[in-house]
Amino acid sequence: MPREFASVGVVGLGTMGAGIAEVFARSGIPVVGVELNDDCIARSRGHIEHSTERALAKDKLDDAAREALLDRITYTTSLEALADVDLVVEAIPEHLDAKTDLFEQLSKITKPDVILASNTSSLSITEIGVHTPRPSKVVGLHFFNPAPVMALVEVVRTVVTEQDVVDDVVALAERIGKSPVVTGDRAGFIANALLFGYLNHAVTMYEQKYATREDLDAAMRFGCGYPMGPLALIDLIGLDTAYEILDSMYHQSRDRRHAPAPILKQMITAGLLGRKTGRGFYTYDAPDSPTVVADALTPDTSSAAANARPVRTVGVVGTGTMATGIVEVLAKAGYDVVLRARSEDKANGVIAKVRKSLDKAVGKGRMSAEDAEATIGRITPAVDFTALADADLVVEAVAEDIDVKREVFTALDAAVKPGAVLATTTSSLPVVECAAATNRPADVIGMHFFNPAQVMKLVEVVSTINTAPDVEATVIDVAAKVRKVPVRCGDRAGFIVNALLFPYLNDAVKMLEAHYAKAADIDTAMKVGCSLPMGPFELLDVVGLDVSLAIQRTLFNEFREAGFSPAPLLEHLVKAGRLGRKTGQGFWDYS
């Protein structure tokens, strides 16, 4: 039977500690809250009263429940008041020396069987626990901010934490309505270890001027379905907080990707801490405001259409899933589309698939039958490249094989009129190699749609060192006219989305193979703690483990970053034929 916690103590009643105290009290557990002085207690009491007032206004509490909750919390400045509690949660600032001193004091004051828990987000639970005579009773209990709202709780075990302690704390977390996940004591635990490496990578991209802040954030929102872009998220977290977490992670992991990007320190020194100061990567209309306002770095988006080449007819080369989606998107937007396939049957097969998709839209009332028929009427099938002669833009969407793509671009160079834009939809191959197969490299660009193209909003616009500015402007203009969100980046492996996404996925696999956490807990941590639409292992199974491995190898081969080396477990699963949903087995089994 799980242990019964009759009362708990919370030391440190700042924003996080006050939220933790409220969570326990709301679940009917008496709380002893400890702060430094009476002024701190007054602030803490105000935090909790304000939070519960909001809950009352939203009908999440009634008056009686609110009064009962407030009555369950006792405030004090004396640690001795914790002598009889069953659990103590430490929530003081992230300074190791202060935490270890506190745990030494708590071990002398509390009962021998009390569980001592730290809410640290990045410090070592082992280092904290060894400063007590009973490290087997020490555990991490990492709530996420704001604690009354966020469901995730990371339960962090050390190599000496008793299993009964872990089990009891997990049961308690479930009792108070949280979603607990268990992890080993490693830098960043689960969520921060995976999240902050990704955030730091995005900051480095920005610092290198690889992409603008707006394009980096839009890429991850519209390409991955993330609720916030990485730079906007760091502004919300606070640049100083992000720096401290990364620095702590780096000192434990010695992984260069955790070393805070230099621009973070520069911005912190300049007082640009994010939303709380009104300026970070973005500028806000006031401190603590979520409203972004234009500043000197806000891009002028009005010039793309003015500088674009005219596009009336678009060619699409390919008959796969991606090509089919692109044909539908372009034709629905009013463009005349010439579909080049290797045979008439393949071309007709694509048109049949487009018709089926449009029929579904008509059936759901999203499109009229007349518009659907007009869309089909704009698609012209072709077998010879010469049929593309008058196209203003040609989008290549054949297999991800550079030799095949080079052959296509050589053929397009010979067939298509001068001044036409030639685009590739590659997700990982160098665009410049496609350009090199032509005598018009200035007219070649990447136009990376995401699958399924009919649904996904993002298009990565990838310019090489030779791409003409009006070619980039043309593709941005077309993407906007087909109701996509274009983002610009340079021609290097992974572009924006894959370069940020797949190292994060690879890190999750390495975490699993190191037995720091189970796959289910890692997926839960990222979905519940970070509000991501899918956990990393769910997403890997959807993408395909073979595809994921190929992308990760491409990133490693280009950047030679040790942390980008594919996880051995990923390679083993691919060799075993466990490729994800398409084979019925991957990290998860499918019926």
Side-chain angles (χ1 to χ4, degrees):
M1 292 292 293
R3 177 174 178 171
E4 185 64 33
F5 292 89
S7 62
V8 302
V10 179
V11 182
L13 296 173
T15 302
M16 180 58 77
I20 294 170
E22 179 185 334
V23 168
F24 282 120
R26 186 177 296 200
S27 300
I29 301 173
V31 179
V32 178
V34 183
E35 256 298 354
L36 286 173
N37 53 49
D38 290 338
D39 288 341
C40 290
I41 286 176
R43 283 196 295 272
S44 305
R45 193 189 300 272
H47 275 311
I48 295 173
E49 289 178 351
H50 182 59
S51 175
T52 53
E53 281 173 5
R54 289 201 306 267
L56 186 66
K58 295 178 181 179
D59 293 326
K60 295 181 179 179
L61 279 177
D62 57 30
D63 286 314
R66 179 174 182 264
E67 287 303 316
L69 185 161
L70 296 176
D71 287 344
R72 291 189 194 103
I73 303 174
T74 302
Y75 299 90
T76 179
T77 58
S78 173
L79 289 175
E80 281 72 16
L82 302 173
D84 294 323
V85 300
D86 300 306
L87 167 72
V88 179
V89 180
E90 165 272 309
I92 66 174
E94 290 284 86
H95 301 297
L96 181 61
D97 290 344
K99 289 180 187 287
T100 56
D101 287 347
L102 174 61
F103 272 69
E104 283 187 43
Q105 294 180 62
L106 291 173
S107 64
K108 297 173 183 176
I109 294 167
T110 55
K111 300 183 294 186
D113 64 341
V114 73
I115 295 175
L116 302 179
S118 174
N119 183 59
T120 181
S121 60
S122 58
L123 298 176
S124 168
I125 302 299
T126 304
E127 285 192 58
I128 294 171
V130 295
H131 287 79
T132 77
R134 45 180 188 272
S136 63
K137 301 290 187 184
V138 176
V139 70
L141 190 57
H142 178 215
F143 288 79
F144 284 67
N145 195 29
V149 176
M150 297 296 287
L152 185 68
V153 171
E154 290 178 319
V155 178
V156 187
R157 52 176 168 74
T158 73
V159 292
V160 296
T161 305
E162 295 171 5
Q163 186 59 47
D164 285 349
V165 168
V166 174
D167 294 341
D168 289 342
V169 172
V170 166
L172 175 62
E174 291 172 342
R175 173 184 165 187
I176 61 176
K178 299 301 182 184
S179 299
V181 297
V182 179
T183 178
D185 184 21
R186 63 175 293 166
F189 312 139
I190 297 176
N192 282 354
L194 296 179
L195 176 65
F196 278 85
Y198 149 73
L199 295 178
N200 201 39
H201 191 181
V203 174
T204 300
M205 281 187 171
Y206 173 76
E207 186 172 25
Q208 294 171 348
K209 302 187 185 305
Y210 176 68
T212 66
R213 60 191 181 180
E214 287 84 1
D215 284 346
L216 284 164
D217 281 354
M220 300 312 290
R221 287 176 55 224
F222 295 103
C224 295
Y226 285 12
M228 295 184 75
L231 301 184
L233 180 55
I234 293 178
D235 273 359
L236 175 61
I237 293 168
L239 275 70
D240 50 345
T241 301
Y243 184 94
E244 289 177 4
I245 291 172
L246 282 165
D247 192 50
S248 175
M249 287 171 58
Y250 175 71
H251 279 92
Q252 292 184 56
S253 70
R254 297 298 175 183
D255 186 332
R256 192 166 63 89
R257 295 175 304 144
H258 296 156
I263 195 174
L264 283 175
K265 187 68 171 180
Q266 296 165 26
M267 293 176 73
I268 292 167
T269 302
L272 309 180
L273 306 185
R275 284 193 190 181
K276 58 189 172 186
T277 60
R279 281 190 66 192
F281 288 102
Y282 295 91
T283 299
Y284 303 86
D285 62 359
D288 293 317
S289 169
T291 305
V292 175
V293 296
D295 59 19
L297 297 177
T298 302
D300 178 10
T301 58
S302 62
S303 60
N307 297 329
R309 300 178 185 180
V311 175
R312 298 178 182 84
T313 301
V314 182
V316 177
V317 181
T319 55
T321 303
M322 182 59 77
T324 303
I326 294 171
V327 168
E328 179 179 336
V329 166
L330 291 166
K332 280 198 296 190
Y335 288 104
D336 292 325
V337 181
V338 179
L339 168 64
R340 188 271 168 185
R342 285 178 293 177
S343 69
E344 290 185 11
D345 286 346
K346 286 186 177 293
N348 291 330
V350 170
I351 294 173
K353 289 177 182 176
V354 172
R355 185 182 292 278
K356 183 178 180 180
S357 176
L358 297 178
D359 287 345
K360 286 183 180 178
V362 171
K364 294 179 179 179
R366 297 174 182 167
M367 192 179 202
S368 70
E370 292 78 13
D371 285 345
E373 201 58 41
T375 297
I376 291 294
R378 295 187 194 104
I379 305 171
T380 302
V383 175
D384 295 327
F385 280 101
T386 54
L388 301 169
D390 293 327
D392 303 301
L393 165 67
V394 180
V395 181
E396 166 273 309
V398 301
E400 280 288 273
D401 183 313
I402 193 60
D403 292 332
V404 174
K405 290 182 183 291
R406 285 175 61 88
E407 287 180 12
V408 169
F409 274 82
T410 299
L412 291 174
D413 190 36
V416 180
K417 68 182 181 182
V421 175
L422 306 182
T424 174
T425 61
T426 181
S427 62
S428 58
L429 298 174
V431 177
V432 73
E433 290 205 32
C434 297
T438 75
N439 293 309
R440 52 174 103 183
D443 293 335
V444 178
I445 194 168
M447 190 177 187
H448 178 214
F449 287 81
F450 283 68
N451 195 26
Q454 305 95 314
V455 176
M456 298 297 286
K457 301 290 289 183
L458 188 71
V459 172
E460 289 178 319
V461 180
V462 186
S463 295
T464 75
I465 57 173
N466 293 318
T467 302
D470 63 338
V471 169
E472 181 184 82
T474 301
V475 172
I476 290 173
D477 185 51
V478 170
K481 285 177 177 175
V482 299
R483 298 182 179 180
K484 300 299 181 185
V485 177
V487 297
R488 295 164 297 175
C489 62
D491 182 23
R492 71 185 199 191
F495 309 142
I496 296 177
V497 172
N498 284 354
L500 289 174
L501 176 64
F502 281 88
Y504 147 73
L505 296 176
N506 196 50
D507 285 346
V509 180
K510 290 180 178 179
M511 183 181 287
L512 176 65
E513 71 184 359
H515 301 289
Y516 273 104
K518 296 178 180 178
D521 282 346
I522 296 171
D523 274 356
T524 298
M526 301 314 293
K527 288 190 295 183
V528 178
C530 300
S531 300
L532 302 188
M534 300 181 79
F537 300 113
E538 292 174 316
L539 182 54
L540 282 162
D541 277 357
V542 169
V543 172
L545 273 60
D546 51 341
V547 174
S548 302
L549 178 59
I551 293 172
Q552 194 60 40
R553 283 174 173 165
T554 299
L555 292 172
F556 178 67
N557 289 336
E558 175 145 334
F559 296 108
R560 302 296 174 177
E561 173 66 61
F564 287 1
S565 61
L569 177 58
L570 183 60
E571 294 182 321
H572 293 166
L573 288 170
V574 171
K575 288 177 182 176
R578 296 176 63 111
L579 307 183
R581 287 192 184 180
K582 58 189 173 186
T583 60
Q585 286 183 308
F587 287 98
W588 301 107
D589 292 339
Y590 303 88
S591 56

